[in-house]
Amino acid sequence: GASPRPRRAVASHRRRNPAAQAVAPAAAVFNHSCSANAHASVTLRRGRRPVVVVRTIVDVPAGAEICISYADASRPVSARRETLRESFFFECACARCVAEA
C-alpha cells in the first residue's frame, strides 16, 4: 500500500502577518499530552527556514518521551478535547484528560 504522508507542524506568525504560516516537520515528531513536559516555539523570518526550539519545562527522566501540548493546557478538558478533535482530528486520552473527564 501507499506509505502515509509525513506529519507536519504548522506555525502561524500572528503579530506581523495573520496569514503567514510555516511548515516545520521537525516539530511534528513530538506527540501531544495535556501534561506536556516540553514547549515548542517556532520563529519565522521572511525568506528563511522556520526555526523550531523545543525546551523542557520540567525535569525529564532519561528515556522518557518528550511531549508538547497541541492545545491550551489551561483550558478545561472539554475545551481541550474539542480543539484537538477539530484541529488535529483525534480524541485526547492522555492521563490528564482521563483523570479530569
Side-chain angles (χ1 to χ4, degrees), residues 1-86:
S3 61
R5 292 176 48 178
R7 297 184 321 167
R8 294 186 177 118
V10 177
S12 177
H13 196 305
R14 291 189 171 98
R15 283 182 278 168
R16 291 190 200 154
N17 183 350
Q21 291 187 337
V23 176
V29 300
F30 294 96
N31 284 323
H32 163 80
S33 174
C34 291
S35 297
N37 56 14
H39 174 75
S41 62
V42 180
T43 301
L44 305 176
R45 290 192 232 164
R46 187 180 306 269
R48 296 188 183 181
R49 289 182 154 183
V51 175
V52 179
V53 176
V54 178
R55 291 193 170 98
T56 58
I57 54 178
V58 297
D59 288 336
V60 180
E65 180 179 21
I66 303 289
C67 292
I68 61 175
S69 182
Y70 299 173
D72 181 348
S74 67
R75 299 191 67 205
V77 64
S78 59
R80 293 191 315 265
R81 282 183 163 174
E82 180 180 356
T83 296
L84 294 166
R85 191 173 37 255
E86 291 179 0

